[in-house]
Amino acid sequence: MESQIAEIQQLASSALEGGKDLTEVEAIRVRFLGKQGEITRLSEGMRAVPKEDKPRIGKLLNELRASVTAAIDQRSSELAATRDAALLSGIDVTLPGNQPITGNAHPLSQLMDRAVRIFRRMGFAIAEGPDIETEWHCFDALNTPKDHPARNEQDTFYLPDGRLLRSHTSTVQVRVMESQTPPVRIIAPGSAYRRDEVDATHLAQFTQMEGLAVGPNISLADLKGTLEFFFRELFGSGTSIRFRPHYFPFTEPSYEIDIRAEALGGRWMELAGCGMVDPAVFEAICERRGDRVYDPNVVSGFAFGFGLDRLAMNLAKIPDIRMLVENDLRFLSQFP
């Protein structure tokens, strides 16, 4: 067996010297070290070696395996280095490199980040919810009448199983009240969906920022102070804000908010809706939860909401809302 070991050592060395690429070296590895390789078959012959010779022959076999393995690894490294050098031979490392493109945050993301930072300073937490909702979360819990136009299939995306794509992020407010007890102070930024004709000012998918605060003795003054602080932090201290009475089924009293700021061109702009949470909404939550932690005689709250897309359009002087979703780098690169 000693002569066989020496012969295999010589064969492996000769084969490696003739190996011209990594594929041939891999074939040599399989030939000598594979499961059916020369060394493996030779090791199986240890059963026929006399007992007194086994330690010596076993040591020679181990040395053979280690030697062949090391030689294969060395030859692989040499061939890999030669290959890499050939690939790099045509590259002039003294030439100037290509300037990497630094990306920018999307204008909507920039606006949302600013808004979130302001609300977090006032103690609001971020809440999230599913985009696919039940009719109860989207309409019933929010005191929306059965014949309200928003429930119509011409306005809302319904799925075959009766669920729908949320038409506002107020659904997140409902889910928060289902799962948490007062006091609650959250904002819910996210996508909403409506069957709008896509044009320069409308998209079927848009971004909303809604908020909810619930607790003992929360008043209209708290709502007014919160939103005035927010909009003046967002647009500047010289921003004028007015509240106009309006109607929403889920708040009472309800208001629309108009803003006039230099950042918006100095003209009045309808920007948001808000109001005190309607007691009927609290009653629906209590019925769903099976307790009275949102008893309208004990707690009160306010809610508000506004779209970020049109706000971003006006702040950045974007003429067409579709530009926000076209992913055109020539457009997006204008917003550092």
Side-chain angles (χ1 to χ4, degrees), residues 125-128 172-186 212 214 285 289 291 293-294:
I126 298 177
E128 296 179 335
V172 180
Q173 302 177 22
V174 174
R175 288 187 175 274
V176 167
M177 288 190 284
E178 278 186 284
S179 60
Q180 300 180 25
T181 58
V184 167
R185 188 180 288 258
I186 60 100
L212 172 73
V214 179
I285 297 297
R289 289 174 55 96
D291 58 29
V293 296
Y294 283 95

Side-chain angles (χ1 to χ4, degrees), residues 72-260:
I72 289 173
D73 290 343
Q74 180 179 351
R75 185 58 177 161
S76 296
S77 299
E78 291 172 354
L79 290 171
T82 301
R83 179 198 60 191
D84 293 344
L87 291 173
L88 296 173
S89 61
I91 298 177
D92 186 350
V93 296
T94 64
L95 291 174
N98 294 324
Q99 182 69 29
I101 299 175
T102 303
N104 305 318
H106 192 281
L108 266 179
S109 299
Q110 295 185 35
L111 177 58
M112 184 181 294
D113 289 346
R114 287 177 58 195
V116 167
R117 286 196 297 269
I118 296 170
F119 280 118
R120 288 183 71 89
R121 285 163 53 194
M122 292 187 282
F124 284 82
I126 298 177
E128 296 179 335
D131 287 23
I132 298 177
E133 270 293 5
T134 66
E135 194 168 2
W136 187 86
H137 287 92
C138 198
F139 296 123
D140 295 336
L142 294 170
N143 196 38
T144 306
K146 294 292 184 183
D147 59 352
H148 195 281
R151 290 179 179 261
N152 195 295
E153 290 186 359
Q154 294 181 339
D155 289 330
T156 299
F157 290 100
Y158 282 91
L159 304 181
D161 61 3
R163 294 181 300 166
L164 49 85
L165 296 181
R166 66 187 185 190
S167 55
H168 44 65
T169 57
S170 301
T171 55
V172 180
Q173 302 177 22
V174 174
R175 288 187 175 274
V176 167
M177 288 190 284
E178 278 186 284
S179 60
Q180 300 180 25
T181 58
V184 167
R185 188 180 288 258
I186 60 100
I187 51 173
S191 295
Y193 310 84
R194 292 177 189 166
R195 286 185 179 273
D196 285 335
E197 290 290 334
V198 176
D199 57 28
T201 57
H202 296 84
L203 291 173
Q205 177 182 341
F206 54 96
T207 307
Q208 275 195 331
M209 171 78 75
E210 297 207 11
L212 172 73
V214 179
N217 303 316
I218 290 182
S219 68
L220 186 60
D222 298 313
L223 167 62
K224 190 170 182 290
T226 297
L227 293 181
E228 285 182 346
F229 176 83
F230 169 75
F231 286 121
R232 287 187 175 127
E233 285 294 297
L234 188 64
F235 299 125
S237 58
T239 301
S240 300
I241 304 167
R242 67 186 182 193
F243 290 72
R244 289 183 292 104
H246 194 68
Y247 168 76
F248 299 111
F250 35 82
T251 52
E252 179 59 37
S254 304
Y255 300 91
E256 284 195 337
I257 302 173
D258 299 330
I259 304 293
R260 185 171 63 187

